[in-house]
Amino acid sequence: MVFAALDYYYAGRPVPPEAAPPEVGSRTFRYVVRRLFASFALPWGVLRYQRYMARPDGNYRLFGATRPGLSWLTIARHWPDIRRSLDAGRPTPLGLVTARGLNPLDLGRNHVVLAYDYALTDDNVVIRVYDPNTGPADDVQLVLSPAAPGRATSITHNIDIGHSIRGFFPVSYRPCNPPPTA
């Protein structure tokens, strides 16, 4: 859904209002399903989710070396890229990691949202996002402190997913022409 919304944004067209989900098999239905699968960036995106699900939140030691945890990857590796993209005026799809462990059946607990703005407050980063589960609300956000990326970092949010968010990363996006509206 995030990729479809972004497609309409880049096409300069409003997202068509739908009173109900598109009819199964319709052109719009096929488009939405295709864009939903594109947001998982098969196969590499799914593998990234799986690797991140398996990581501890904080940095850890393995074979005598310190390895980055999910908090460090989110704050030190991914946040600077997300910030640059937003500063350039480019909304950025974010893959939200909520699941923990190696069970591939838990992959569906992860989620994709669209970051479109941010603010730096006293000690926090506040990222404003569009979430298709939450609907057209301007107050949906992720909040985290970048102060200690090597330790597990709490990410508070009001996204309608029913899970805590452990970390996130930018999802590769390529635009696609949305179907014409009737």
Side-chain angles (χ1 to χ4, degrees):
M1 298 300 244
V2 164
F3 276 26
L6 201 49
D7 289 343
Y8 278 97
Y9 171 80
Y10 281 119
R13 296 171 33 204
V15 175
E18 293 284 336
E23 185 178 324
V24 174
S26 69
R27 175 189 283 189
T28 303
F29 179 84
R30 289 190 313 268
Y31 164 74
V32 169
V33 169
R34 190 172 64 248
R35 297 311 282 156
L36 179 63
F37 277 99
S39 73
F40 285 105
L42 299 170
W44 308 117
V46 171
L47 294 173
R48 178 185 260 184
Y49 276 111
Q50 190 72 61
R51 282 192 332 264
Y52 283 13
M53 286 167 47
R55 284 186 187 266
D57 291 341
N59 290 354
Y60 59 100
R61 304 244 342 132
L62 183 66
F63 302 119
T66 300
R67 306 289 180 181
L70 187 53
S71 293
W72 187 91
L73 291 169
T74 298
I75 296 165
R77 180 174 294 165
H78 299 308
W79 167 240
D81 293 335
I82 295 164
R83 183 178 182 174
R84 274 191 293 279
S85 183
L86 295 174
D87 285 344
R90 290 187 308 270
T92 305
L94 302 179
L96 306 181
V97 180
T98 66
R100 181 184 311 276
L102 295 171
N103 186 346
L105 297 176
D106 289 338
L107 281 164
R109 288 184 43 205
N110 300 307
H111 191 56
V112 179
V113 296
L114 183 62
Y116 63 88
D117 195 13
Y118 74 93
L120 303 174
T121 64
D122 297 330
D123 295 324
N124 291 317
V125 174
V126 179
I127 303 172
R128 295 178 63 190
V129 300
Y130 162 71
D131 171 43
N133 288 1
T134 307
D138 288 334
D139 63 344
V140 183
Q141 60 189 16
L142 303 166
V143 181
L144 70 152
S145 169
R151 290 185 290 196
T153 300
S154 173
I155 300 173
T156 59
H157 68 89
N158 59 345
I159 297 169
D160 189 16
I161 55 176
H163 304 292
S164 60
I165 296 171
R166 299 179 53 226
F168 53 86
F169 58 89
V171 175
S172 296
Y173 165 80
R174 275 192 236 154
C176 175
N177 287 328
T181 55

